[in-house]
Amino acid sequence: MITMNGKKMQFSNISTDINLDNLENQDSLDVIVNMGPQHPSTHGVFRLVLWIDGEIITKAEPHIGYLHRGSEKLCESELYSQVISLFDRIDYLANLNMELGFCAAVEKLMEIDIPDRAWYIRTILCELNRIASHLLFYGVFGLDAGAMTPVLYGFRDREKIQSVFESVTGARMMHNFIRIGGLKEDVGNDFKKDVTKLLSTLKTSIDECDELLSGNEVFLARTKGIGTIERQTALDYGLSGPTLRGSGIPEDIRISDPYGIYDRFDFKIPVGTVGDSWDRYYVRVEEMRQSISIIEQALAQMDEGPILGNVRRLIKPPKGEVYTRTETPRGDFGVFLVSDGSDKPYRVKVRAPSFSNLLALTKMLENSYVADSVVILGSLDIVMGEVDR
Amino acid sequence: MIKLIKGLIITLSTALRSPVTGEYPMPEKRIPVKNKFMGFPALTYDFEIDEPFCTGCMVCIRNCPTSCMSANMKDNEKFTENKSSRKKIIDTFEINLGRCILCGICVDVCNFDAIEMSHEHERSKFERNANRVNLPELIKMGVKYQQKINWSPKQEKNRGTPKKPKTSNENNGNLT
């Protein structure tokens, strides 16, 4: 669709109405370009409408809803134990973090005491999942910026993590492993050995990945100063996770509002300085290293013990409502749960970090080049399953 | 420029390493699944009595998030002949594997160790309805799994060996 002097020329299925007489008197010629919903680099089915003046984007409008599956509504007709399998599919790159988000909400409502061992295993698995998710981000972000190699490196290491998941939970992606009150089953005897071995390979691989892409001049030119979002704007838009930390705000729920046993670990929050795409990228790379340190500490502190708290098989939380926040790889993941005392939730509302982060895209894309739009979108690390739910 | 060359050196050194990938359809080159891998659910078989573990109690069916299963039970003839401790036995069982989401809840809730997540994960078929598997097929999958990992029931009470006449009348706990 081309707009000029209030008159519109629209392509494809929309009507055509254009005045070509006074083209020369135009101040600006905004061309509207549809990006998606089947664009290969939009990380799922996501449509972005760009108003373009030459090479510059003047306005951007995200259109979502193409992956809407009605998860929240579906939760209302499922038993609490069945809802966990739905949460697996909300953010399909960080399944265990999603499961933890829901289970933590129910546990808070029911006031269940979770055994220490269960929390340690949960923490280890969730941090591994965070690394896996960031490794995938590393790969596809390289791909977005035009580098073909990093995606192979990212996937190589992610597969190793998934192999550990497979030997622990039985599935590579949809685990359904975390239960309300603890875990599905105890980990095997060689869990510690496996994870230690995995961490030592991950350390060298992350360094390798870092060296491969981070210093690359072409990559720096594509990302430095691109899609900058200032501190205050980032807060105003309600960003969270690495996207917010890239703007220089050291906000991490694991530290500011610790859940589980995160207060027992000593780790840092990597923050960016400017808030551009490169900062958001590098915060994630550093976060992988911090996650490794958390897992190492957890492995050292872990003890034998039970893995399931005192819960019945049929879970019936008391009447009431609860809101919990957990830190997923994409940011502040909130679950608002209303229970009417029955065995099915009355309402489950998910506060998805990707959804809030995505809205800042309009701000970031303003006055940037069309060619950078893919990089900026990639730097947000959105998962459409989480945006649409 | 230096960093760019460094990156090239990394890719070059990776080219000299052994590959990390397997070749999927080739049986000898593919990466095997782990012991705990959760494939499609399958029914286990009690070789001692020569009947499946499943009594058709429908717990898994009630707890399935996608309602992909259906089952019917019947009276067990072997129980009347005092060959088995199972009063009822599964008659028909159907799982729509196209609907199954491999969550493993059915295995969790089963009181009889009768259903297990097998290592079966390749269900591409030529027929339209081939992913609706019936009892014989499910037992075939289960037996394959049992032999592969040397399976035994988690709870001894689930073995179908008939108890002594006295206790068998008192203890029909299997059917609660």
Side-chain angles (χ1 to χ4, degrees), chain A residues 78-79 81-82 85-86 89 149 153 156 160 163-164 166-172 174-177 179 184-188 207-209 211-212 214-218 313-314, chain B residues 1-8 10-15 17 20 31-39 59 61-66 101-105 108-111 117:
Chain A
E78 303 273 11
L79 298 172
S81 53
Q82 295 171 342
S85 66
L86 280 172
R89 286 151 180 82
T149 329
Y153 285 72
R156 176 194 67 188
K160 285 177 194 157
S163 292
V164 170
E166 193 187 330
S167 62
V168 172
T169 67
R172 295 179 83 83
M174 305 302 166
H175 312 284
N176 198 16
F177 187 67
R179 289 282 188 275
K184 179 184 167 193
E185 54 190 345
D186 207 345
V187 291
D207 287 347
E208 195 180 77
C209 289
E211 200 170 333
L212 179 71
S214 300
N216 191 312
E217 278 84 357
V218 183
R313 184 179 274 182
L314 186 67
Chain B
M1 198 64 192
I2 305 153
K3 287 281 176 120
L4 214 123
I5 292 162
K6 263 189 181 172
L8 285 174
I10 288 171
T11 45
L12 193 70
S13 69
T14 318
R17 286 181 219 158
V20 289
I31 297 165
V33 295
K34 299 277 190 307
N35 246 4
K36 258 193 186 176
F37 179 76
M38 294 200 297
V59 161
I61 291 151
R62 282 200 302 273
N63 278 283
C64 180
T66 56
I101 57 166
L102 310 178
C103 61
I105 288 175
D108 265 11
V109 295
C110 185
N111 293 317
M117 301 307 268

Side-chain angles (χ1 to χ4, degrees), chain B residues 34-52:
Chain B
K34 299 277 190 307
N35 246 4
K36 258 193 186 176
F37 179 76
M38 294 200 297
F40 289 112
L43 296 181
T44 51
Y45 200 72
D46 198 342
F47 290 101
E48 288 170 29
I49 325 289
D50 199 25
E51 64 181 17

Side-chain angles (χ1 to χ4, degrees), chain A residues 32-245:
Chain A
I32 298 182
V33 172
N34 272 303
M35 213 174 103
Q38 276 132 4
H39 196 278
S41 60
T42 50
H43 304 261
V45 274
F46 168 57
R47 176 166 161 236
L48 192 60
V49 181
L50 302 174
W51 275 255
I52 296 168
D53 181 13
E55 276 288 293
I56 310 280
I57 298 166
T58 50
K59 193 185 152 195
E61 200 178 279
H63 286 246
I64 58 170
Y66 292 91
L67 203 59
H68 182 70
R69 295 154 295 176
S71 295
E72 286 177 9
K73 188 69 189 167
L74 272 176
C75 290
E76 291 166 20
S77 57
E78 303 273 11
L79 298 172
Y80 279 93
S81 53
Q82 295 171 342
V83 172
I84 303 170
S85 66
L86 280 172
F87 266 72
D88 260 337
R89 286 151 180 82
I90 287 185
D91 178 353
Y92 39 77
L93 299 180
N95 321 79
L96 285 161
N97 287 290
M98 294 290 121
E99 287 173 24
L100 182 67
F102 177 71
C103 290
V106 183
E107 282 154 9
K108 194 175 169 188
L109 187 61
M110 293 176 76
E111 293 168 357
I112 309 170
D113 285 326
I114 316 298
D116 263 10
R117 184 178 170 80
W119 262 121
Y120 278 111
I121 296 170
R122 280 177 176 192
T123 310
I124 292 168
L125 291 176
C126 283
E127 291 304 318
L128 278 178
N129 213 332
R130 190 184 309 274
I131 300 174
S133 171
H134 285 346
L135 276 171
L136 189 122
F137 162 79
Y138 163 83
V140 293
F141 190 51
L143 208 59
D144 285 342
M148 280 296 289
T149 329
V151 72
L152 302 172
Y153 285 72
F155 267 91
R156 176 194 67 188
D157 303 327
R158 184 168 172 265
E159 285 299 309
K160 285 177 194 157
I161 298 174
Q162 285 186 323
S163 292
V164 170
F165 283 160
E166 193 187 330
S167 62
V168 172
T169 67
R172 295 179 83 83
M173 280 182 84
M174 305 302 166
H175 312 284
N176 198 16
F177 187 67
I178 294 176
R179 289 282 188 275
I180 294 155
L183 297 169
K184 179 184 167 193
E185 54 190 345
D186 207 345
V187 291
N189 292 326
D190 43 3
F191 175 69
K192 256 187 188 181
K193 202 182 74 200
D194 279 356
V195 176
T196 321
K197 196 179 149 204
L198 173 72
L199 288 186
S200 63
T201 52
L202 273 181
K203 269 184 203 166
T204 50
S205 329
I206 289 170
D207 287 347
E208 195 180 77
C209 289
D210 191 9
E211 200 170 333
L212 179 71
L213 189 62
S214 300
N216 191 312
E217 278 84 357
V218 183
F219 181 70
L220 287 177
R222 286 300 309 274
T223 52
K224 280 248 176 187
I226 305 294
T228 311
I229 188 149
E230 276 90 32
R231 263 179 95 99
Q232 196 50 48
T233 330
L235 282 173
D236 291 348
Y237 271 91
L239 299 188
S240 57
T243 318
L244 178 68
R245 294 195 280 276

